[in-house]
Amino acid sequence: MSVDQRPADTPPADAPQAAPAPSEGVPAQIKLVLGVLLVAAFVMILNETIMGVALPELMEQFNLTAATVQWLTTGFMLTMAVVIPMTGLILQRFTTRTVFIAAMTLFTVGTILAASAPVFGVLVAARVIQASGTAVMLPLLMTTVMTFVPADRRGRTIGFITIVIAVAPAVGPTFSGFILAQLTWHWMFLSVLPIAVLGLVLGALKIQNLGETRPVKFDLLSALLSAVAFSGLIYGLSSIGEAAAGAHTPIPPYAAITAGAVSLALFVLRQLRLQRTDSALLDLRVFRSRSFTVGVVMLLISMAALFGSLILLPMYLQNVLELTTFQTGLVVLPGGLAMGLTGPTVGRLYDKLGPRPLVIPGSFGVFGALALLTLLDQASPVWFVVVIHVLMSLSLSLLMTPLMTSSLGSLKMELYSHGSAVLTTLQQVAGAAGTAVFITLMTTGTKESLESGAGVVAATADGIHTAFLWGAGMAVIAVAAAFLVRKPAVDGQEPALAAH
């Protein structure tokens, strides 16, 4: 309904929208906002994963070493780690429309700058600008769903978010491999630019202000501690694999991890003090919810397994089975598509059955897939890898939508933005940790096999076997935790673990 057609008692178009009751459907305005947010998030996450295949070409064009060109992905990841913890405060202080336009503007400007970058330094700066916008989008999307979608419809809605989270990373390497086979690396950015501009225009025209803002104080010390803590942890964990392989890292991994851990401890103490006056940068009272805490633990294990397998499978396919980069992208594509396309179905099942009937078989499936990955060797057929990866992806689909929905749904409404920020931040840390653990175990196993006289290919296969074996052991924790998951109460709340 247009503004000049509304009845006299209808609020203005830019007035905050009220959250619907559980028995109501999703209002058309909320559907429109969610649609625009989903498209924007898909483009942003796709952009996050397209650079890996292009790094060799960029090394040649800019005459760079592998350690230097890696800053295109490292810089993006570190920026995400710095910005995401602040989104809890950002989403409370500013309106949905303001946050969306700011995020899409940053992403669009970064994309234009990257597509026209004359030197490597400009390209890195462009990636940082892109990451600044990307970091806000998923928490904004999750908070909008939790605030404005009725509790009995959240599962299917978050199922669509699973498409974004799963399909975009799966499509990224295949998409960039296709682009690079035909065009220059500039087209990786030019091809997503029209969609980014369209999303920005649609958002500016169609998105109204949802919810109410409040003047939350900004604590500079918390922001600084958060930046050092999460960037230190993610950088350090991400560098462990490189150091284990003998590569030089600008900052020793354990120094970065130590600085990050100390800063994190100080950050937690600071938040516990500030949340007494509702002025914390990241409100840690979300962990008083049992469902949130259990869900976060399971999501961390799942994300570690996902990122660990995503980094090792391409190595296995290229270094052991000797497939090309493009063939590797095609092998992992069915799993990503299966995970994303089953998201809405899993969401509808969650709305009917609750999380436990989905999470328990999902956790067993992840364990089974990791156990099957230990069987891979030099003679394994490619179809077997595809089947295992599809099993892993379907199992993760059974986990992610129910865990995100039940975790955030167990919180009080005023903690949704903080819960989304915590969840997204820790997923970044878990991804870095999973990559570090799997790469370190693979490197150690490969080195031991080489020392025992095995050939390079056979030793690499042995190292990957060792990593997946430990990964299957990690998955046992998720299987045990799955039996503790429960659906939040009908109103989306549950009793806290401790009194407020």
Side-chain angles (χ1 to χ4, degrees):
M1 180 180 295
S2 63
V3 175
D4 57 349
Q5 292 176 315
R6 69 177 186 269
D9 58 346
T10 302
D14 60 350
Q17 304 291 310
S23 58
E24 297 178 0
V26 182
Q29 173 63 20
I30 304 301
K31 289 182 178 179
L32 176 62
V33 172
L34 290 175
V36 176
L37 290 176
L38 279 168
V39 172
F42 182 86
V43 173
M44 289 180 169
I45 297 177
L46 175 68
N47 167 81
E48 185 179 356
T49 60
I50 61 176
M51 289 305 299
V53 177
L55 294 184
E57 181 174 326
L58 291 168
M59 288 171 61
E60 182 178 348
Q61 175 164 342
F62 291 113
N63 193 24
L64 301 171
T65 63
T68 301
V69 79
Q70 191 64 34
W71 277 99
L72 286 173
T73 53
T74 302
F76 194 101
M77 184 171 56
L78 294 182
T79 304
M80 295 273 286
V82 171
V83 176
I84 288 174
M86 301 184 192
T87 57
L89 178 144
I90 291 170
L91 296 177
Q92 291 185 81
R93 289 192 64 170
F94 303 100
T95 64
T96 306
R97 187 172 186 273
T98 301
V99 173
F100 176 84
I101 291 176
M104 283 304 297
T105 299
L106 284 170
F107 180 79
T108 303
V109 169
T111 302
I112 294 171
L113 191 60
S116 58
V119 295
F120 180 71
V122 174
L123 186 56
V124 172
R127 291 287 286 171
V128 168
I129 295 171
Q130 283 184 320
S132 300
T134 303
V136 180
M137 193 55 66
L138 269 181
L140 173 62
L141 179 55
M142 292 299 298
T143 302
T144 302
V145 170
M146 298 307 301
T147 305
F148 298 103
V149 175
D152 57 354
R153 293 175 180 264
R154 286 176 186 160
R156 69 195 73 181
T157 307
I158 292 181
F160 284 103
I161 298 177
T162 305
I163 296 178
V164 170
I165 295 174
V167 175
V171 171
T174 308
F175 170 78
S176 55
F178 175 77
I179 291 290
L180 292 173
Q182 310 294 328
L183 304 163
T184 66
W185 61 266
H186 303 83
W187 283 93
M188 292 194 303
F189 301 105
L190 290 171
S191 57
V192 301
L193 181 59
I195 306 175
V197 172
L198 179 62
L200 175 58
V201 173
L202 282 177
L205 294 175
K206 299 294 184 181
I207 291 183
Q208 299 177 1
N209 292 332
L210 305 177
E212 298 180 357
T213 61
R214 62 189 186 96
V216 184
K217 294 180 180 178
F218 176 75
D219 184 60
L220 180 60
L221 180 58
S222 293
L224 293 174
L225 288 172
S226 168
V228 176
F230 294 110
S231 62
L233 287 173
I234 290 178
Y235 175 82
L237 289 168
S238 301
S239 302
I240 286 178
E242 295 178 54
H248 171 72
T249 55
I251 302 174
Y254 297 106
I257 292 173
T258 301
V262 172
S263 298
L264 181 60
L266 295 174
F267 175 76
V268 169
L269 293 174
R270 180 73 174 170
Q271 303 319 294
L272 292 175
R273 179 182 175 186
L274 291 175
Q275 68 190 24
R276 299 172 188 168
T277 56
D278 288 328
S279 56
L281 180 71
L282 202 60
D283 199 319
L284 302 181
R285 284 176 290 190
V286 294
F287 289 106
R288 290 178 176 174
S289 162
R290 175 181 176 273
S291 291
F292 183 84
T293 303
V294 171
V296 164
V297 170
M298 288 198 66
L299 278 170
L300 295 186
I301 296 172
S302 301
M303 292 300 290
L306 173 62
F307 278 82
S309 61
L310 282 178
I311 198 73
L312 283 194
L313 270 181
M315 291 184 180
Y316 167 77
L317 292 169
Q318 294 176 49
N319 298 338
V320 178
L321 298 188
E322 299 182 343
L323 299 185
T324 66
T325 302
F326 187 65
Q327 288 171 328
T328 299
L330 293 177
V331 169
V332 299
L333 183 60
L337 293 176
M339 182 178 177
L341 297 177
T342 55
T345 301
V346 172
R348 285 192 290 270
L349 290 173
Y350 170 86
D351 290 334
K352 292 180 180 179
L353 305 174
R356 195 173 294 183
L358 301 170
V359 168
I360 291 175
S363 63
F364 276 104
V366 170
F367 168 75
L370 287 167
L372 287 172
L373 285 171
T374 65
L375 302 178
L376 298 179
D377 56 25
Q378 294 170 263
S380 298
V382 173
W383 66 263
F384 186 53
V385 181
V386 174
V387 169
I388 297 174
H389 188 242
V390 169
L391 172 62
M392 165 81 81
S393 301
L394 291 175
S395 301
L396 286 170
S397 180
L398 290 174
L399 290 176
M400 291 184 68
T401 297
L403 289 175
M404 286 191 291
T405 309
S406 62
S407 298
L408 293 173
S410 69
L411 303 176
K412 294 182 179 296
M413 184 176 290
E414 60 267 24
L415 293 177
Y416 284 159
S417 61
H418 290 283
S420 298
V422 168
L423 207 58
T424 312
T425 301
L426 293 182
Q427 283 178 345
Q428 295 284 321
V429 175
T435 301
V437 169
F438 277 59
I439 289 291
T440 302
L441 289 170
M442 184 207 72
T443 303
T444 303
T446 300
K447 192 176 296 183
E448 291 177 355
S449 185
L450 286 171
E451 291 173 353
S452 66
V456 174
V457 175
T460 302
D462 290 341
I464 291 172
H465 167 84
T466 300
F468 282 131
L469 187 63
W470 280 87
M474 288 169 50
V476 173
I477 302 173
V479 171
F483 291 90
L484 302 176
V485 174
R486 65 184 182 187
K487 189 173 185 177
V490 175
D491 62 354
Q493 310 294 327
E494 71 165 16
L497 292 177
H500 288 272

